[in-house]
Amino acid sequence: MDFLQLPESIINKSGGMDKQQEKSAAVRDRGQTTADFCSIYSKDLLPASGGEEITREFLQELLNILLSYISKSSQRSSKILDFHHPHQLKEGLEGFSLDLPDQPETLEQILVDCRDTLKYGVNTGHPRFFNQLSSGLDVIGMAGEWLTSTANTNMFTYEVSPVFILMEEFLLRKMQSIVGWSDDEGDGFFCPGGTISNLYSILVARYHFYPEVKTRGMGLLPQLALFTSEHSHYSVKKSAAVLGMGSDNVVMVKCDERGKMIPAELEACIVTAEEKGLVPFYVNVTAGTTVYGAFDPLIAIADICHKHTLWMHVDAAWGGGLLMSDRHRMKLQGIERAWSVTWNPHKMMGVPLQCSVILVKKRGLLQECNELGAEYLFQTDKPYDVSYDTGDKSIQCGRHVDVFKLWLMWKAKGSEGFGSQVNRCLENAEYLYDQLQRRTDFELVFKNKPEHSNVCFWYIPPSLRGLPPGPDRDTRLHQVAPRIKRRMMEKGSVLIGYQPLGAKVNFFRCVFSNPATQQEDIDFLLDEITRLGDDL
């Protein structure tokens, strides 16, 4: 029985056989039993006395819903989304309501709500979901998330999270070794996303040069300058604003046509900032830009940072996964010279969201920068080594356990498995690139072979193919991608992102991070774009 059809099997608004009885009979036919959830509430579940059996049956029903969803995720004939506009979902449809009641609803309705939440959401595990840098559905990682939620503990002290704390230590050492740092250096922890990881890098960099800022504030500091490429992630500017340094003091360094920071431009920007009375202290180097997937020249930039005594941070949120591949890790050559690194396993490595790491080369700096020693948590007279109470390294108090799902996936795949997964994703990008070169109805945004799994291109409908380059063509081409995307969402067959960049009008950006995607899905993508945009 397909439990994604649960509402139809439990809601009885007509005469005849009771729908709940039909569902119960179907379950019994499989040799199982089921409760009548129409008269049971959450108060009847554990820890209620005698609630073991009903809890088991409720969770089994929920598991059936999830298993059906997971199964459909890999079926190419299924929709990626059943799109509705915000006002439609807010108004309620087919019995799905976002309103919150004063009185408790039955477990039957709770199961319906679980089913509908999945039904109206986006299936990011679908092989034809190319919309975001994080996609796919890894069953081992999902199992790890289930266990994490069941444990429901916090990453601030060893006393409440002994196994997870040690797992984090082992994983961080592994990742630091892969970056290229020695065993006696390196620190870090898991963060709620790459933006926060990048924020930590600026926070500790500022503290490294100006430790007095922790207690006396920004008023005693000179006007600081940060440097990042014009293709870098917006989180650098956002972090500067949050930390009180001002987004205007983030200098955007020019890139070449491929989207890489130009080292000579960086050096010129540093000199210019100094002439203006600013004090340079931090350079963000991007390993895998969000749109083009470009890798800044790490070694050349490291030389400049060393020359000027600047903190070098590598934002490898997107590109860090390539370190797992013997074939592609050379694209991050020089990352070992970074003072800090952001790496998001929830992207190219396919770990369920969220899973991001900030790595800091100087051990102890995170602790010094952030610790306040709250005595209700971080007592020094505990009956174990309190250096494992790592919570004071973070600006957070409560910190979600993000480590276990990655640890479990690493056990299941091994380093080689992650490397093979990365290789397949980049092979898909090369295949798409080759196909686009062969077709006359598409144009590549740049002619170079992709470095990462990003492939950027325009679809040129028949009405534009005879037009010469110029403002009129650009104006009309700018409207093509959004209109095709709208039709994609309404049809639910495939999803891909688009955006403008600089002088370039809207183009499609296809990214590969789902190992379930095959060449047939790439062929389908191009054919579907053609079908949806042929009349534009």
Side-chain angles (χ1 to χ4, degrees), residues 41-42 97-106:
Y41 295 83
S42 63
S97 174
L98 293 168
D99 290 337
L100 296 173
D102 292 328
Q103 299 300 316
E105 295 183 342
T106 67

Side-chain angles (χ1 to χ4, degrees), residues 35 46 54 121 159 190 329 362 372 389 443 461 484 520 526:
L46 287 173
I54 191 61
E159 68 178 281
F190 284 76
R329 65 168 292 121
K362 184 179 179 182
L372 285 175
D389 286 356
E443 288 182 11
I484 292 176
E520 65 178 279
L526 297 181

Side-chain angles (χ1 to χ4, degrees), residues 127-152:
R128 293 171 179 170
F129 177 84
F130 307 107
N131 210 71
Q132 255 66 49
L133 303 185
S134 53
S135 65
L137 179 60
D138 188 277
V139 174
I140 298 296
M142 182 184 63
E145 191 67 75
W146 287 356
L147 187 145
T148 296
S149 295
T150 303
N152 192 33

Side-chain angles (χ1 to χ4, degrees), residues 198-353:
N198 286 342
L199 185 146
Y200 272 113
S201 74
I202 300 174
L203 180 69
V204 295
R206 183 179 64 178
Y207 178 83
H208 171 74
F209 291 112
Y210 303 98
E212 65 273 17
V213 71
K214 179 177 178 179
T215 54
R216 303 184 68 183
M218 284 290 292
L220 297 178
L221 272 58
Q223 194 168 2
L224 302 176
L226 306 81
F227 303 85
T228 191
S229 88
E230 58 186 358
H231 282 245
S232 65
H233 194 260
Y234 68 89
S235 58
V236 178
K237 276 197 167 188
K238 180 169 283 191
S239 297
V242 169
L243 293 172
M245 288 177 275
S247 59
D248 286 349
N249 290 324
V250 178
V251 180
M252 310 301 290
V253 182
K254 291 182 180 178
C255 295
D256 61 20
E257 185 184 40
R258 183 62 185 81
K260 298 171 178 287
M261 183 192 290
I262 302 171
E265 292 287 344
L266 171 62
E267 186 130 41
C269 287
I270 293 170
V271 172
T272 300
E274 290 174 335
E275 291 172 348
K276 292 179 178 179
L278 302 176
V279 177
F281 82 106
Y282 172 99
V283 176
N284 175 69
V285 191
T286 309
T289 58
T290 304
V291 180
Y292 282 180
F295 290 78
D296 290 341
L298 274 67
I299 295 176
I301 296 173
D303 290 341
I304 294 171
C305 290
H306 177 75
K307 174 182 175 182
H308 293 273
T309 316
L310 304 179
W311 183 284
M312 175 181 169
H313 173 68
V314 175
D315 178 4
W318 177 221
L322 273 63
L323 291 168
M324 305 301 297
S325 165
D326 292 339
R327 188 184 307 170
H328 296 286
R329 65 168 292 121
M330 86 286 279
K331 296 171 183 177
L332 292 99
Q333 190 174 4
I335 193 173
E336 71 281 355
R337 297 177 63 184
W339 293 17
S340 58
V341 173
T342 291
W343 182 350
N344 285 8
H346 68 229
K347 290 182 177 169
M348 183 53 65
M349 294 172 70
V351 180
L353 285 161

Side-chain angles (χ1 to χ4, degrees), residues 372-442:
L372 285 175
E375 292 182 349
Y376 73 94
L377 276 178
F378 307 116
Q379 305 92 340
T380 58
D381 53 358
K382 292 180 179 180
Y384 58 83
D385 182 353
V386 294
S387 68
Y388 288 99
D389 286 356
T390 57
D392 224 8
K393 293 195 297 186
S394 167
I395 58 177
Q396 299 171 254
C397 180
R399 188 160 64 90
H400 186 258
V401 178
D402 292 325
V403 63
F404 181 69
K405 54 198 171 188
L406 174 57
W407 181 86
L408 202 65
M409 286 177 63
W410 212 309
K411 297 278 279 189
K413 295 175 183 286
S415 301
E416 291 184 358
F418 277 124
S420 298
Q421 183 172 309
V422 168
N423 291 342
R424 286 198 300 273
C425 289
L426 270 71
E427 286 166 5
N428 280 337
E430 292 180 14
Y431 177 79
L432 174 57
Y433 172 78
D434 291 340
Q435 295 302 111
L436 290 168
Q437 281 192 311
R438 296 188 180 103
R439 297 184 59 152
T440 59
D441 49 348
F442 290 88

Side-chain angles (χ1 to χ4, degrees), residues 3-261:
F3 281 90
L4 282 179
Q5 300 302 317
L6 194 56
E8 287 70 30
S9 69
I10 65 174
I11 297 173
N12 182 24
K13 294 184 179 180
S14 62
M17 185 176 181
D18 187 285
K19 297 297 183 181
Q20 174 60 31
Q21 292 175 349
E22 289 180 359
K23 181 171 79 73
S24 301
V27 174
R28 286 194 297 271
D29 287 343
R30 299 199 303 269
Q32 302 175 17
T33 60
T34 185
D36 181 1
F37 293 113
C38 289
S39 58
I40 301 175
Y41 295 83
S42 63
K43 65 180 178 59
D44 301 312
L45 300 172
L46 287 173
S49 177
E52 291 87 352
E53 186 58 31
I54 191 61
T55 299
R56 187 189 318 277
E57 294 196 19
F58 172 73
L59 291 178
Q60 184 61 57
E61 291 289 320
L62 177 62
L63 181 61
N64 288 334
I65 292 173
L66 298 178
L67 288 174
S68 181
Y69 179 81
I70 294 167
S71 176
K72 286 192 172 183
S73 293
S74 61
Q75 297 173 10
R76 288 168 170 80
S77 59
S78 66
K79 280 189 171 186
I80 292 178
L81 80 160
D82 182 7
F83 177 74
H84 292 82
H85 290 280
H87 71 89
Q88 294 173 308
L89 289 176
K90 289 170 71 174
E91 292 166 0
L93 39 88
E94 299 179 352
F96 180 59
S97 174
L98 293 168
D99 290 337
L100 296 173
D102 292 328
Q103 299 300 316
E105 295 183 342
T106 67
L107 295 186
E108 199 72 43
Q109 183 59 48
I110 299 305
L111 291 169
V112 171
D113 291 338
C114 289
R115 192 294 313 252
D116 285 346
T117 298
L118 292 173
K119 176 182 178 182
Y120 296 118
V122 178
N123 185 352
T124 60
H126 197 287
R128 293 171 179 170
F129 177 84
F130 307 107
N131 210 71
Q132 255 66 49
L133 303 185
S134 53
S135 65
L137 179 60
D138 188 277
V139 174
I140 298 296
M142 182 184 63
E145 191 67 75
W146 287 356
L147 187 145
T148 296
S149 295
T150 303
N152 192 33
T153 191
N154 202 316
M155 288 293 288
F156 43 42
T157 62
Y158 180 85
E159 68 178 281
V160 300
S161 194
V163 180
F164 296 136
I165 290 285
L166 294 179
M167 281 180 179
E168 186 171 61
E169 179 190 24
F170 272 71
L171 251 176
L172 290 171
R173 285 182 179 176
K174 184 73 170 179
M175 298 175 80
Q176 290 156 10
S177 173
I178 291 171
V179 166
W181 296 345
S182 63
D183 291 339
D184 62 347
E185 59 188 1
D187 202 349
F189 48 77
F190 284 76
C191 299
T195 291
I196 303 301
S197 293
N198 286 342
L199 185 146
Y200 272 113
S201 74
I202 300 174
L203 180 69
V204 295
R206 183 179 64 178
Y207 178 83
H208 171 74
F209 291 112
Y210 303 98
E212 65 273 17
V213 71
K214 179 177 178 179
T215 54
R216 303 184 68 183
M218 284 290 292
L220 297 178
L221 272 58
Q223 194 168 2
L224 302 176
L226 306 81
F227 303 85
T228 191
S229 88
E230 58 186 358
H231 282 245
S232 65
H233 194 260
Y234 68 89
S235 58
V236 178
K237 276 197 167 188
K238 180 169 283 191
S239 297
V242 169
L243 293 172
M245 288 177 275
S247 59
D248 286 349
N249 290 324
V250 178
V251 180
M252 310 301 290
V253 182
K254 291 182 180 178
C255 295
D256 61 20
E257 185 184 40
R258 183 62 185 81
K260 298 171 178 287
M261 183 192 290

